[in-house]
Amino acid sequence: MASEQEILSGLAEIINEETGLPTDSVELDKSFTEDLDIDSLSMMTIVVNAEEKFSVRIPDEDVKNLKTVGDAVSYIAQAQG
């Protein structure tokens, strides 16, 4: 099972591949839309890649509740259990 720090760095790599944002700009308190400027299409790609990387399922109805990087990290950490 990945730790929250491992999830954060894994997510940062996925976001970097999808958007070109530097991995060190992906922090727990950053909003996907406001701070990182990630649109819904990119978000869906990020979610699919995160599901594969961490072997979790993130249903569409839950994705809309993931406002910040920290929300996603917490969700993935719980979903692994």
Side-chain angles (χ1 to χ4, degrees), residues 5-60:
Q5 190 54 52
E6 290 167 331
I7 294 168
L8 176 60
S9 63
L11 260 184
E13 288 169 20
I14 291 167
I15 291 169
N16 169 262
E17 286 167 20
E18 176 63 21
T19 65
L21 285 166
T23 53
D24 61 3
S25 70
V26 179
E27 298 169 345
L28 291 175
D29 61 347
K30 297 285 189 185
S31 158
F32 287 110
T33 51
E34 314 277 310
D35 298 318
L36 302 177
D37 204 27
I38 293 172
D39 63 24
S40 55
L41 190 62
S42 291
M43 188 65 182
M44 292 316 293
T45 304
I46 290 164
V47 165
V48 168
N49 290 336
E51 286 177 327
E52 289 174 9
K53 184 172 185 71
F54 299 109
S55 304
V56 297
R57 181 84 190 93
I58 308 172
D60 290 348

